[in-house]
Structure formats: structure tokens, C-alpha cells
Amino acid sequence: MRDATDADLPRIVGIYNSTVPTRLATADTEPVSVESRRPWFLAHTPGRHPILVHEDAGEILGWVSFQPFYGRPAYDRTAEISIYLAPEARGKGLGKRLLREAMDLTPELGIKTLLGFIFSHNGPSMRLFRGFGFEDWAKLPDIAEMDGREYSLSILGLRLRP
């Protein structure tokens, strides 16, 4: 994995948009544009809350982001982690690899607690995070509505060893 650059943003957005129709990984109901995601991208800082990309043969197949949690100083050592994979990379173990590599970076990022905000019906992501020791810390029932259906959001957490 490496820090994402501005040139990677179109591919990052493309991978993100590939999840929109699945109704599994994002509450966006329509694809987003590169320009609409630019402020989000610029808000991430390498060395603290980076966006990292995974390349294979020059092609970005997945990305990881660390997002500040709740925007208050007392939560500075807590981060939300997100992982998105290109359709052709899903179900092949890349998610496990990226989560492991991201977790290995947490000491140098100063992160002690990781949170995953995952739709409760997203079985693959729930299994991935639970497989790395994340626990169910909260469930927000039926807070998202897409296509006339309601969906719950699970918050999975992991306290990392110092």
C-alpha cells in the first residue's frame, strides 16, 4: 500500500461508485463525482488520517481510508476505517490483506481505537472485521432507507494494543 495521490482520485471514486448499486457498502444511492469527493480527499493527511491505495501491475484494486472520529480532541486516537475493493478484486483475500496492513500502521498513525461503520446486512464486511477481532459495539436499527427498504448500521470497534 502507498499514500494516495491526486492522480489516484478518479480510480478511488470509480471503485467507490462500483459499490453504490450493491446497497452493501455505502449510503450513497447515486454515483458520486470526482469533484464532489475532492474535499473529502484533501481532508485526509498522510501520516495521520491517510488514504492508502493497493496496486497490482499498475492498477489500483483497492483503497483504505482513516477518518477522524467525531471531530473532538478527546477522540484524536480513534479513527473510522473504510476499505473498498474493485469488483474484480473482491472475494480473493485482498480485504484481509488491506485490513491487516492498515492495522499494522496504527501505531505510527497514533491510533488506539478503530471503528468500522458497516451496514448490518453486509455479511462479507461484517465477517472480515469480526475475523480481525472487531466487536459489535452498537447497532443503529433501520436508520438508512434505500429503494423503499430500511437498513441497519452496525458499529464495530477494536481497541488496539499499545
Side-chain angles (χ1 to χ4, degrees):
M1 281 197 305
R2 64 169 174 77
D3 286 320
T5 67
D6 193 62
D8 299 324
L9 186 55
R11 179 64 175 158
I12 290 168
V13 169
I15 291 170
Y16 179 85
N17 281 339
S18 74
T19 70
V20 171
T22 71
R23 303 300 195 244
L24 286 175
T26 177
D28 278 312
T29 57
E30 297 293 330
V32 299
S33 69
V34 171
E35 282 312 307
S36 73
R37 295 302 284 171
R38 192 167 305 284
W40 165 84
F41 182 81
L42 295 173
H44 287 78
T45 53
R48 185 67 186 120
H49 294 104
I51 298 173
L52 306 164
V53 295
H54 172 83
E55 281 184 300
D56 186 21
E59 179 76 16
I60 295 173
L61 295 178
W63 57 270
V64 176
S65 69
F66 291 92
Q67 185 81 17
F69 174 73
Y70 205 59
R72 305 287 195 286
Y75 300 113
D76 280 351
R77 302 234 179 249
T78 299
E80 177 188 351
I81 186 169
S82 298
I83 298 174
Y84 286 84
L85 303 176
E88 64 271 21
R90 295 177 195 151
K92 298 179 180 177
L94 183 58
K96 288 180 184 177
R97 180 176 170 185
L98 296 185
L99 185 52
R100 168 53 52 212
E101 289 179 24
M103 290 171 63
D104 289 347
L105 290 173
T106 57
E108 69 187 68
L109 298 174
I111 295 170
K112 292 183 178 179
T113 303
L114 283 174
L115 300 173
F117 289 69
I118 303 169
F119 278 134
S120 303
H121 66 283
N122 185 342
S125 290
M126 297 290 281
R127 284 188 298 277
L128 171 65
F129 279 73
R130 287 176 177 151
F132 278 84
F134 283 75
E135 298 174 329
D136 295 350
W137 283 5
K139 184 172 183 178
L140 308 175
D142 298 331
I143 66 164
E145 188 172 330
M146 297 180 288
D147 306 322
R149 293 189 58 201
E150 293 181 331
Y151 297 92
S152 299
L153 181 70
S154 292
I155 301 173
L156 278 63
L158 178 66
R159 178 72 178 163
L160 301 160
R161 295 194 174 116

